[in-house]
Amino acid sequence: MQSEPPAPVRRKRRALDWPTALLITIVLSAAGYVFWRDGAARFLEVIWSDADLFALMLPNVLAGCLIAALITVLLPRDTIVRWVGKDAGLKGILIAAGAGIIVPGGPFTIYPIAAAVIGMGADAAAVVTLITSWTTIGLSRSLVWELPFLGFDFVLWRWLAALPLAVLAGLIVRAIERYWRVKAKP
């Protein structure tokens, strides 16, 4: 019986780190500026509009997180590490590119999935390839929007141009990681 690979070491995160503090500062500054420039009525209108948008997006975000949680339960960690882990090499990048092509849904789906597989031991290069492939190629988008409106020739040429970009993005991440590892050695 094969032993399960060790879980990746996760950095301990504080509840309020500097990017979150910066974002809060920007939001509060923008809100204060709108209140000062346009008055209380417009300020409240913007707040209610944002609350409506939040209410519309929340079910999608929850569904994406549920899908990601199910992936962590359904796919064994050792399978993820073997297919798209650090030692998977070019094969891992190609698998991630293929997965990015077929994964349906929008950003509410892909980013929780990416976070889940990286938490299970996937290589950062493979996850970058997954997201890039989903963004640039996306089978569901091609079938629903591009093929009916733009035709097969357009979709074929776009795919032929975009597929190397996803693989190249993963290879660039690998090269940068390798450079940092070499540079970090004493």
Side-chain angles (χ1 to χ4, degrees):
M1 183 172 166
Q2 207 175 22
S3 66
E4 189 171 304
V9 179
R10 300 183 97 188
R11 293 185 303 148
K12 185 166 176 121
R13 294 188 61 170
R14 293 183 295 199
L16 185 66
D17 51 2
W18 73 266
T20 306
L22 179 64
L23 186 61
I24 290 170
T25 303
I26 291 170
V27 167
L28 291 177
S29 299
Y33 178 71
V34 168
F35 187 84
W36 171 77
R37 186 188 67 189
D38 298 335
R42 176 70 177 139
F43 175 79
L44 289 174
E45 181 183 332
V46 169
I47 294 293
W48 285 116
S49 174
D50 289 349
D52 286 343
L53 179 62
F54 178 76
L56 287 172
M57 288 177 22
L58 187 60
N60 295 329
V61 172
L62 293 175
C65 291
L66 179 62
I67 290 168
L70 289 173
I71 284 174
T72 62
V73 172
L74 295 174
L75 289 176
R77 179 183 299 275
D78 61 335
T79 302
I80 294 292
V81 170
R82 186 174 64 247
W83 285 357
V84 291
K86 289 199 183 302
D87 297 330
L90 181 62
K91 176 189 76 165
I93 288 178
L94 294 174
I95 289 171
I101 290 171
I102 63 172
V103 171
F108 299 119
T109 307
I110 193 70
Y111 291 109
I113 288 173
V117 296
I118 212 165
M120 293 173 67
D123 185 24
V127 174
V128 167
T129 303
L130 172 85
I131 293 172
T132 305
S133 176
W134 169 82
T135 303
T136 59
I137 300 171
L139 179 63
S140 61
R141 181 177 51 252
S142 292
L143 291 176
V144 173
W145 295 105
E146 293 170 359
L147 197 59
F149 289 106
L150 303 169
F152 179 77
D153 289 345
F154 174 83
V155 174
L156 177 67
W157 285 114
R158 197 181 66 72
W159 274 44
L160 289 173
L163 187 56
L165 294 176
V167 174
L168 184 63
L171 293 174
I172 289 171
V173 170
R174 274 268 160 81
I176 291 170
E177 285 180 328
R178 194 175 309 120
Y179 174 77
W180 281 345
R181 270 195 303 271
V182 169
K183 190 122 174 128
K185 286 184 180 177

